[in-house]
Amino acid sequence: MRSITQIGIVILLITALGAGIYGTVGLSDTNADRSVTIEVVEQSNGILAIETGPVQTAGNETKIATVRNQGDRPFDIMEVVTGQSTQRYTLSPGQSSDIYVDIDCDSISSEEYEIEIFADTNESDGTLRIESMATVAVSCSSG
């Protein structure tokens, strides 16, 4: 009788321990410390705006877009444009930077350029990163 009682106690302990382990590794609800909202906006209305439009040029150094910091903190920018060298700079709130490409209108009549902007800023709880992309059509004009 004593061994049956001991077996019963062992089974009870194993069951209780198993339930305790399951209870500690089970999933639970998660709540954010603050509310989080994500909105999709037009390029020109974002924290980091890329203002573009159709571009006509006679060639050489041509402005194809403007990047504007419309936020409230500075951003370290990495600007990548198809076929051009990568540019790095910092934009403070309210500042803007023009994007230029070198176009040879003697060899092309039109071209599309893809602009990728990677913007980072350090926050107390980590790094905030914004990535944005735009495509600009450029046409060469005669003289």
Side-chain angles (χ1 to χ4, degrees):
M1 183 76 162
R2 182 174 177 178
S3 64
I4 294 175
T5 306
Q6 287 176 336
I7 292 173
I9 291 173
V10 170
I11 291 173
L12 181 62
L13 284 173
I14 292 172
T15 305
L17 286 173
I21 291 171
Y22 176 77
T24 59
V25 296
L27 298 176
S28 63
D29 291 336
T30 303
N31 293 317
D33 291 339
R34 55 184 172 215
S35 64
V36 177
T37 304
I38 298 174
E39 293 182 42
V40 177
V41 297
E42 295 292 325
Q43 289 281 8
S44 60
N45 294 330
I47 293 172
L48 199 68
I50 302 177
E51 299 164 356
T52 63
V55 176
Q56 232 178 350
T57 183
N60 299 322
E61 195 82 2
T62 302
K63 176 182 159 185
I64 62 169
T66 300
V67 178
R68 183 176 318 283
N69 181 350
Q70 299 184 143
D72 59 1
R73 59 186 55 101
F75 282 98
D76 294 321
I77 306 292
M78 182 172 71
E79 168 191 305
V80 181
V81 180
T82 308
Q84 306 292 310
S85 62
T86 299
Q87 304 296 319
R88 294 180 187 273
Y89 48 91
T90 299
L91 285 180
S92 295
Q95 283 187 322
S96 63
S97 178
D98 293 331
I99 300 174
Y100 289 89
V101 295
D102 191 21
I103 300 171
D104 182 7
C105 285
D106 292 334
S107 59
I108 64 165
S109 61
S110 66
E111 188 77 33
E112 278 195 352
Y113 292 92
E114 197 168 274
I115 302 168
E116 291 181 280
I117 300 294
F118 303 94
D120 294 305
T121 188
N122 291 321
E123 298 292 318
S124 60
D125 57 352
T127 299
L128 172 66
R129 175 166 237 191
I130 297 174
E131 297 179 11
S132 193
M133 187 185 315
T135 302
V136 179
V138 178
S139 301
C140 288
S141 59
S142 56

